[in-house]
Amino acid sequence: MTDQQQLRAAFSTFLTGVTVVTTSASDGTPVGFTANSFTSVSLDPPLLLVCLSNTLNCLEAFEQAQHFAVNILSSSQQDVSNTFAAYDGDRFEKASHRTGNNGCPLLNDCCAWFECKIHQRVDAGDHTIYIGKILDYQYEESDPLGYSRQGYFSLQHEQMARQLHASSPDVVTGYLIEVDDCLVVRKQGDQCTLPEALAGNALEQLHLELQDGKINHSTGMLYSMFQFGDRGSHAVYYRCRAKTAPIDLTNNLHCLPIAELPIENFETKPVRSMLARFQREHATGSYGIYHGTETAGNVTPVSDENTQAYRS
Ligand SMILES: Cc1cc2nc3c(=O)[nH]c(=O)nc-3n(C[C@H](O)[C@H](O)[C@H](O)COP(=O)(O)O)c2cc1C
Protein backbone atom coordinates (compact mmCIF):
# COMPACT_ATOMS: atom_id res chain seq x y z
CA MET A 1 0.00 0.00 0.00
CA THR A 2 1.20 3.52 -0.78
CA ASP A 3 1.35 6.13 2.00
CA GLN A 4 -1.86 7.72 0.66
CA GLN A 5 -3.68 4.39 0.59
CA GLN A 6 -2.54 3.75 4.19
CA LEU A 7 -3.84 7.14 5.27
CA ARG A 8 -7.10 6.57 3.42
CA ALA A 9 -7.47 3.18 5.15
CA ALA A 10 -6.85 4.83 8.54
CA PHE A 11 -9.42 7.58 7.81
CA SER A 12 -11.94 4.94 6.70
CA THR A 13 -12.06 3.43 10.19
CA PHE A 14 -14.09 6.48 11.20
CA LEU A 15 -17.73 5.47 10.99
CA THR A 16 -19.86 7.98 9.11
CA GLY A 17 -23.20 8.47 7.40
CA VAL A 18 -23.48 9.17 3.69
CA THR A 19 -24.70 12.40 2.10
CA VAL A 20 -25.29 13.74 -1.39
CA VAL A 21 -24.22 17.37 -1.72
CA THR A 22 -26.10 19.28 -4.40
CA THR A 23 -26.28 22.66 -6.02
CA SER A 24 -27.67 24.26 -9.13
CA ALA A 25 -25.19 25.22 -11.89
CA SER A 26 -25.45 28.75 -13.33
CA ASP A 27 -27.61 27.43 -16.22
CA GLY A 28 -29.96 25.77 -13.71
CA THR A 29 -28.68 22.20 -14.21
CA PRO A 30 -28.76 20.24 -10.94
CA VAL A 31 -25.37 18.83 -9.92
CA GLY A 32 -24.37 16.66 -6.97
CA PHE A 33 -21.91 14.15 -5.58
CA THR A 34 -21.71 11.65 -2.74
CA ALA A 35 -19.83 12.86 0.35
CA ASN A 36 -19.13 11.46 3.79
CA SER A 37 -16.99 14.40 4.93
CA PHE A 38 -20.10 16.15 6.29
CA THR A 39 -19.82 17.57 9.81
CA SER A 40 -22.19 19.61 11.89
CA VAL A 41 -20.32 22.73 13.04
CA SER A 42 -22.39 25.22 15.02
CA LEU A 43 -25.90 25.66 16.43
CA ASP A 44 -25.75 29.44 16.76
CA PRO A 45 -25.31 30.46 14.04
CA PRO A 46 -26.41 27.17 12.43
CA LEU A 47 -23.42 25.98 10.41
CA LEU A 48 -22.30 22.75 8.76
CA LEU A 49 -19.36 21.82 6.57
CA VAL A 50 -18.44 19.45 3.82
CA CYS A 51 -15.09 18.91 2.06
CA LEU A 52 -15.03 19.05 -1.73
CA SER A 53 -12.18 17.42 -3.61
CA ASN A 54 -10.48 19.88 -5.95
CA THR A 55 -10.77 17.25 -8.68
CA LEU A 56 -14.58 17.08 -8.66
CA ASN A 57 -16.08 17.47 -12.15
CA CYS A 58 -18.87 19.52 -10.62
CA LEU A 59 -16.50 21.82 -8.68
CA GLU A 60 -17.03 24.79 -11.02
CA ALA A 61 -20.78 24.74 -10.33
CA PHE A 62 -20.06 24.87 -6.57
CA GLU A 63 -17.47 27.64 -7.05
CA GLN A 64 -20.07 29.77 -8.82
CA ALA A 65 -22.96 28.88 -6.52
CA GLN A 66 -24.26 30.88 -3.58
CA HIS A 67 -26.19 27.97 -2.08
CA PHE A 68 -25.78 24.23 -1.65
CA ALA A 69 -27.73 21.44 0.00
CA VAL A 70 -26.67 18.39 2.00
CA ASN A 71 -28.99 15.36 1.72
CA ILE A 72 -28.43 12.67 4.38
CA LEU A 73 -29.16 9.28 2.83
CA SER A 74 -31.36 6.63 4.40
CA SER A 75 -30.44 2.93 4.54
CA SER A 76 -32.57 2.24 1.44
CA GLN A 77 -30.50 4.66 -0.65
CA GLN A 78 -27.27 2.79 -1.24
CA ASP A 79 -27.98 2.89 -4.99
CA VAL A 80 -28.36 6.70 -4.77
CA SER A 81 -24.95 6.89 -3.09
CA ASN A 82 -23.38 4.78 -5.84
CA THR A 83 -25.07 6.87 -8.55
CA PHE A 84 -23.76 10.16 -7.14
CA ALA A 85 -20.30 8.67 -6.58
CA ALA A 86 -19.75 7.02 -9.92
CA TYR A 87 -22.45 7.50 -12.58
CA ASP A 88 -21.30 9.59 -15.54
CA GLY A 89 -24.75 10.31 -17.02
CA ASP A 90 -27.61 12.40 -15.60
CA ARG A 91 -27.52 11.46 -11.91
CA PHE A 92 -30.79 13.26 -11.14
CA GLU A 93 -32.68 11.22 -13.72
CA LYS A 94 -31.94 8.20 -11.50
CA ALA A 95 -32.97 9.78 -8.18
CA SER A 96 -36.34 11.37 -7.48
CA HIS A 97 -35.91 14.94 -6.31
CA ARG A 98 -37.47 18.38 -6.06
CA THR A 99 -36.20 21.95 -5.77
CA GLY A 100 -35.84 23.64 -2.38
CA ASN A 101 -36.88 27.21 -1.51
CA ASN A 102 -33.32 28.37 -2.19
CA GLY A 103 -32.99 26.67 -5.56
CA CYS A 104 -31.01 23.59 -4.48
CA PRO A 105 -31.96 20.09 -5.64
CA LEU A 106 -33.32 18.07 -2.69
CA LEU A 107 -33.43 14.28 -2.94
CA ASN A 108 -36.64 12.52 -1.88
CA ASP A 109 -36.72 9.81 0.83
CA CYS A 110 -33.64 11.07 2.68
CA CYS A 111 -33.27 11.01 6.48
CA ALA A 112 -32.68 14.76 6.46
CA TRP A 113 -31.72 17.64 4.20
CA PHE A 114 -30.17 21.06 4.87
CA GLU A 115 -30.28 23.95 2.41
CA CYS A 116 -27.44 26.39 3.03
CA LYS A 117 -26.04 29.71 1.94
CA ILE A 118 -22.29 29.47 1.37
CA HIS A 119 -20.77 31.06 4.48
CA GLN A 120 -17.08 30.41 3.83
CA ARG A 121 -14.80 28.48 1.47
CA VAL A 122 -11.52 27.38 3.04
CA ASP A 123 -8.60 26.00 0.98
CA ALA A 124 -7.44 22.79 2.64
CA GLY A 125 -4.82 20.82 0.70
CA ASP A 126 -6.42 18.81 -2.09
CA HIS A 127 -9.92 19.69 -0.81
CA THR A 128 -11.89 22.89 -0.23
CA ILE A 129 -13.97 23.10 2.91
CA TYR A 130 -17.42 24.54 2.25
CA ILE A 131 -19.02 25.95 5.36
CA GLY A 132 -22.74 26.49 4.90
CA LYS A 133 -25.16 28.60 6.93
CA ILE A 134 -28.35 26.58 7.23
CA LEU A 135 -31.41 28.41 5.85
CA ASP A 136 -33.87 25.56 5.79
CA TYR A 137 -33.85 21.89 6.87
CA GLN A 138 -36.05 18.92 7.58
CA TYR A 139 -35.55 15.45 9.05
CA GLU A 140 -37.43 12.14 9.20
CA GLU A 141 -37.36 9.13 11.52
CA SER A 142 -35.92 6.83 8.83
CA ASP A 143 -32.84 4.64 9.38
CA PRO A 144 -29.62 6.30 8.09
CA LEU A 145 -27.15 4.68 5.69
CA GLY A 146 -23.83 3.97 7.41
CA TYR A 147 -20.33 3.83 5.94
CA SER A 148 -17.12 2.45 7.38
CA ARG A 149 -13.97 0.81 5.98
CA GLN A 150 -15.20 1.51 2.45
CA GLY A 151 -18.40 -0.49 2.93
CA TYR A 152 -22.03 0.44 3.55
CA PHE A 153 -24.05 -0.83 6.46
CA SER A 154 -27.44 -0.30 8.05
CA LEU A 155 -28.03 0.13 11.76
CA GLN A 156 -31.44 -1.46 11.32
CA HIS A 157 -29.89 -4.89 10.79
CA GLU A 158 -27.34 -4.38 13.57
CA GLN A 159 -30.17 -3.40 15.92
CA MET A 160 -32.18 -6.49 14.98
CA ALA A 161 -29.15 -8.67 15.78
CA ARG A 162 -28.62 -6.88 19.10
CA GLN A 163 -32.29 -7.40 20.03
CA LEU A 164 -31.97 -11.06 19.16
CA HIS A 165 -28.92 -11.43 21.41
CA ALA A 166 -30.74 -9.64 24.23
CA SER A 167 -34.03 -11.53 23.97
CA SER A 168 -32.87 -15.11 23.45
CA PRO A 169 -30.13 -17.03 25.29
CA ASP A 170 -30.28 -19.67 22.57
CA VAL A 171 -28.31 -17.75 19.94
CA VAL A 172 -25.22 -19.06 18.21
CA THR A 173 -22.72 -16.28 17.43
CA GLY A 174 -20.24 -17.03 14.68
CA TYR A 175 -17.54 -15.22 12.74
CA LEU A 176 -16.37 -15.22 9.15
CA ILE A 177 -12.88 -13.88 9.72
CA GLU A 178 -11.01 -12.99 6.55
CA VAL A 179 -7.23 -12.94 6.58
CA ASP A 180 -6.26 -11.73 3.12
CA ASP A 181 -7.94 -14.25 0.80
CA CYS A 182 -8.33 -16.89 3.51
CA LEU A 183 -10.97 -17.65 6.11
CA VAL A 184 -10.39 -18.72 9.72
CA VAL A 185 -11.94 -22.18 10.10
CA ARG A 186 -11.90 -24.75 12.92
CA LYS A 187 -10.91 -28.13 11.49
CA GLN A 188 -11.02 -31.51 13.21
CA GLY A 189 -10.13 -34.23 10.74
CA ASP A 190 -12.26 -33.43 7.71
CA GLN A 191 -15.01 -31.85 9.79
CA CYS A 192 -15.07 -28.04 9.60
CA THR A 193 -16.91 -25.39 11.61
CA LEU A 194 -16.65 -21.64 11.80
CA PRO A 195 -15.42 -20.04 15.03
CA GLU A 196 -18.83 -19.99 16.74
CA ALA A 197 -20.41 -20.53 20.14
CA LEU A 198 -23.65 -20.30 22.10
CA ALA A 199 -24.09 -17.17 24.22
CA GLY A 200 -22.58 -17.26 27.71
CA ASN A 201 -19.37 -18.91 28.85
CA ALA A 202 -18.70 -20.67 25.57
CA LEU A 203 -18.83 -17.37 23.67
CA GLU A 204 -16.56 -15.66 26.18
CA GLN A 205 -14.16 -18.58 25.78
CA LEU A 206 -14.23 -18.18 22.01
CA HIS A 207 -13.48 -14.47 22.28
CA LEU A 208 -10.51 -15.23 24.53
CA GLU A 209 -9.30 -17.86 22.11
CA LEU A 210 -9.49 -15.40 19.20
CA GLN A 211 -7.77 -12.76 21.30
CA ASP A 212 -4.99 -15.24 22.13
CA GLY A 213 -4.59 -15.86 18.41
CA LYS A 214 -4.34 -12.07 18.00
CA ILE A 215 -7.37 -12.20 15.72
CA ASN A 216 -9.15 -8.90 16.00
CA HIS A 217 -12.74 -9.74 15.17
CA SER A 218 -14.30 -6.89 17.15
CA THR A 219 -15.06 -4.69 14.14
CA GLY A 220 -17.24 -7.31 12.48
CA MET A 221 -20.29 -6.38 10.47
CA LEU A 222 -23.44 -8.44 10.50
CA TYR A 223 -23.43 -10.99 7.68
CA SER A 224 -26.21 -13.49 8.29
CA MET A 225 -29.02 -13.88 10.79
CA PHE A 226 -31.32 -16.87 10.62
CA GLN A 227 -33.62 -19.10 12.62
CA PHE A 228 -33.20 -22.86 12.83
CA GLY A 229 -36.66 -24.14 11.88
CA ASP A 230 -36.78 -27.21 14.11
CA ARG A 231 -35.43 -25.74 17.35
CA GLY A 232 -36.64 -22.13 17.07
CA SER A 233 -33.10 -21.05 17.98
CA HIS A 234 -31.12 -18.45 16.06
CA ALA A 235 -27.67 -17.94 14.60
CA VAL A 236 -25.97 -14.62 13.94
CA TYR A 237 -22.77 -14.48 11.90
CA TYR A 238 -20.46 -11.49 11.58
CA ARG A 239 -17.94 -10.83 8.81
CA CYS A 240 -14.66 -9.30 9.91
CA ARG A 241 -11.11 -8.81 8.67
CA ALA A 242 -7.98 -9.66 10.60
CA LYS A 243 -4.60 -8.34 9.58
CA THR A 244 -2.20 -10.89 8.15
CA ALA A 245 0.23 -10.51 11.00
CA PRO A 246 0.44 -11.15 13.85
CA ILE A 247 -1.98 -14.03 13.73
CA ASP A 248 -1.34 -17.11 15.77
CA LEU A 249 -3.72 -19.96 15.12
CA THR A 250 -4.12 -22.69 17.68
CA ASN A 251 -6.81 -25.13 18.80
CA ASN A 252 -7.52 -26.45 15.33
CA LEU A 253 -8.05 -22.99 13.87
CA HIS A 254 -6.71 -22.78 10.32
CA CYS A 255 -6.65 -20.19 7.55
CA LEU A 256 -8.15 -21.81 4.45
CA PRO A 257 -8.20 -20.16 0.99
CA ILE A 258 -11.73 -18.79 0.49
CA ALA A 259 -11.86 -19.86 -3.17
CA GLU A 260 -11.15 -23.46 -2.14
CA LEU A 261 -13.21 -23.77 1.06
CA PRO A 262 -14.30 -27.40 1.63
CA ILE A 263 -17.92 -26.26 1.99
CA GLU A 264 -19.31 -29.82 1.94
CA ASN A 265 -17.32 -30.53 5.15
CA PHE A 266 -19.39 -28.04 7.18
CA GLU A 267 -22.11 -29.76 9.14
CA THR A 268 -25.23 -27.66 8.73
CA LYS A 269 -27.03 -26.72 5.54
CA PRO A 270 -27.59 -23.01 6.35
CA VAL A 271 -23.88 -22.61 7.10
CA ARG A 272 -23.02 -24.35 3.82
CA SER A 273 -25.31 -21.98 1.86
CA MET A 274 -23.94 -19.00 3.76
CA LEU A 275 -20.38 -20.03 2.87
CA ALA A 276 -21.30 -20.56 -0.79
CA ARG A 277 -22.71 -17.00 -0.85
CA PHE A 278 -19.65 -15.72 0.99
CA GLN A 279 -17.36 -17.35 -1.58
CA ARG A 280 -19.27 -15.67 -4.45
CA GLU A 281 -19.42 -12.31 -2.70
CA HIS A 282 -15.76 -12.37 -1.73
CA ALA A 283 -14.87 -12.88 -5.40
CA THR A 284 -16.82 -9.75 -6.43
CA GLY A 285 -16.25 -7.63 -3.31
CA SER A 286 -20.03 -7.00 -3.06
CA TYR A 287 -21.44 -8.29 0.19
CA GLY A 288 -25.00 -8.55 1.52
CA ILE A 289 -26.77 -9.40 4.78
CA TYR A 290 -29.01 -12.47 4.93
CA HIS A 291 -32.05 -12.41 7.16
CA GLY A 292 -34.50 -15.31 7.25
CA THR A 293 -34.85 -18.93 8.20
CA GLU A 294 -32.73 -21.96 7.40
CA THR A 295 -34.43 -22.33 4.04
CA ALA A 296 -35.80 -18.95 2.93
CA GLY A 297 -34.93 -15.31 3.44
CA ASN A 298 -33.59 -12.15 1.82
CA VAL A 299 -30.14 -10.87 1.09
CA THR A 300 -29.89 -7.09 1.36
CA PRO A 301 -26.85 -5.60 -0.34
CA VAL A 302 -25.13 -3.42 2.21
CA SER A 303 -21.53 -3.20 1.23
CA ASP A 304 -20.11 -2.64 -2.19
CA GLU A 305 -16.41 -2.24 -1.94
CA ASN A 306 -15.94 -2.21 -5.69
CA THR A 307 -17.95 0.89 -6.48
CA GLN A 308 -15.50 3.11 -4.73
CA ALA A 309 -15.14 6.20 -6.86
CA TYR A 310 -13.55 7.91 -3.87
CA ARG A 311 -10.21 6.18 -4.24
CA SER A 312 -7.25 7.85 -5.81
C1 LIG B 1 -19.07 7.04 0.55
C2 LIG B 1 -18.40 8.09 -0.29
C3 LIG B 1 -18.01 9.27 0.29
C4 LIG B 1 -17.41 10.27 -0.48
N1 LIG B 1 -17.06 11.45 0.12
C5 LIG B 1 -16.55 12.46 -0.61
C6 LIG B 1 -16.28 13.71 -0.01
O1 LIG B 1 -16.50 13.92 1.19
N2 LIG B 1 -15.77 14.71 -0.78
C7 LIG B 1 -15.53 14.52 -2.11
O2 LIG B 1 -15.07 15.46 -2.78
N3 LIG B 1 -15.78 13.33 -2.72
C8 LIG B 1 -16.31 12.30 -2.01
N4 LIG B 1 -16.60 11.10 -2.59
C9 LIG B 1 -16.27 10.92 -4.02
C10 LIG B 1 -17.28 11.57 -4.95
O3 LIG B 1 -18.60 11.20 -4.62
C11 LIG B 1 -17.00 11.12 -6.40
O4 LIG B 1 -15.68 11.46 -6.74
C12 LIG B 1 -17.99 11.72 -7.36
O5 LIG B 1 -18.03 10.95 -8.54
C13 LIG B 1 -17.64 13.10 -7.76
O6 LIG B 1 -18.52 13.59 -8.73
P1 LIG B 1 -17.98 14.34 -10.04
O7 LIG B 1 -18.37 13.45 -11.18
O8 LIG B 1 -18.67 15.64 -10.06
O9 LIG B 1 -16.48 14.48 -9.95
C14 LIG B 1 -17.19 10.07 -1.85
C15 LIG B 1 -17.59 8.86 -2.44
C16 LIG B 1 -18.18 7.88 -1.66
C17 LIG B 1 -18.62 6.61 -2.31
Side-chain angles (χ1 to χ4, degrees):
M1 273 214 257
T2 64
D3 285 354
Q4 275 205 8
Q5 283 168 332
Q6 291 274 10
L7 183 57
R8 187 185 296 282
F11 281 158
S12 78
T13 61
F14 186 55
L15 198 134
T16 68
V18 184
T19 75
V20 169
V21 181
T22 58
T23 193
S24 203
S26 48
D27 65 355
T29 313
V31 296
F33 69 98
T34 302
N36 67 343
S37 56
F38 164 79
T39 303
S40 57
V41 175
S42 160
L43 289 177
D44 186 17
L47 300 176
L48 57 73
L49 73 76
V50 66
C51 302
L52 276 66
S53 163
N54 294 336
T55 62
L56 284 179
N57 291 317
C58 56
L59 191 66
E60 199 183 324
F62 281 92
E63 282 170 348
Q64 291 172 358
Q66 307 220 338
H67 297 92
F68 68 95
V70 177
N71 300 268
I72 299 191
L73 300 188
S74 64
S75 59
S76 62
Q77 292 182 303
Q78 191 185 322
D79 54 338
V80 176
S81 173
N82 286 337
T83 297
F84 282 84
Y87 184 58
D88 275 341
D90 181 356
R91 295 173 176 179
F92 287 87
E93 206 174 74
K94 290 177 149 246
S96 70
H97 63 283
R98 61 202 185 280
T99 304
N101 291 335
N102 300 282
C104 298
L106 302 178
L107 301 184
N108 296 335
D109 306 319
C110 288
C111 284
W113 55 262
F114 303 90
E115 227 185 351
C116 305
K117 185 174 168 48
I118 294 174
H119 179 72
Q120 208 179 338
R121 291 179 178 90
V122 182
D123 282 345
D126 53 15
H127 281 61
T128 305
I129 303 171
Y130 274 61
I131 301 177
K133 182 164 183 190
I134 299 162
L135 303 176
D136 202 2
Y137 72 96
Q138 199 176 322
Y139 65 96
E140 307 291 337
E141 287 304 315
S142 44
D143 179 46
L145 182 62
Y147 195 74
S148 174
R149 293 184 195 267
Q150 287 148 5
Y152 297 106
F153 68 91
S154 146
L155 286 178
Q156 206 175 27
H157 284 106
E158 307 285 333
Q159 273 161 3
M160 274 160 75
R162 217 171 305 132
Q163 273 165 11
L164 199 60
H165 286 299
S167 63
S168 162
D170 204 10
V171 180
V172 171
T173 303
Y175 298 99
L176 290 102
I177 304 167
E178 293 173 54
V179 183
D180 295 332
D181 281 332
C182 293
L183 188 72
V184 176
V185 169
R186 199 186 296 284
K187 214 164 166 271
Q188 269 170 323
D190 276 349
Q191 200 61 49
C192 296
T193 46
L194 288 168
E196 58 193 18
L198 265 174
N201 286 347
L203 188 58
E204 275 167 34
Q205 198 56 45
L206 173 64
H207 288 166
L208 288 176
E209 191 186 337
L210 293 173
Q211 240 171 42
D212 282 351
K214 304 201 173 52
I215 305 170
N216 178 9
H217 65 291
S218 55
T219 52
M221 286 193 188
L222 182 65
Y223 187 65
S224 189
M225 186 164 39
F226 54 84
Q227 187 179 359
F228 292 108
D230 52 345
R231 287 181 273 148
S233 55
H234 291 82
V236 182
Y237 287 88
Y238 295 88
R239 181 173 67 86
C240 21
R241 284 216 178 100
K243 284 190 179 160
T244 314
I247 181 167
D248 177 16
L249 298 179
T250 49
N251 279 347
N252 302 320
L253 287 175
H254 298 263
C255 276
L256 303 185
I258 292 169
E260 294 155 31
L261 281 179
I263 294 181
E264 64 291 349
N265 294 354
F266 285 78
E267 196 189 343
T268 65
K269 194 162 174 252
V271 169
R272 288 199 295 271
S273 355
M274 176 175 72
L275 287 173
R277 173 168 73 92
F278 175 70
Q279 220 173 24
R280 285 193 305 274
E281 293 183 343
H282 178 79
T284 62
S286 273
Y287 295 91
I289 291 179
Y290 177 83
H291 180 216
T293 67
E294 250 177 293
T295 49
N298 293 315
V299 176
T300 315
V302 285
S303 168
D304 191 346
E305 301 177 24
N306 276 349
T307 44
Q308 274 318 296
Y310 198 38
R311 278 181 181 169
S312 52

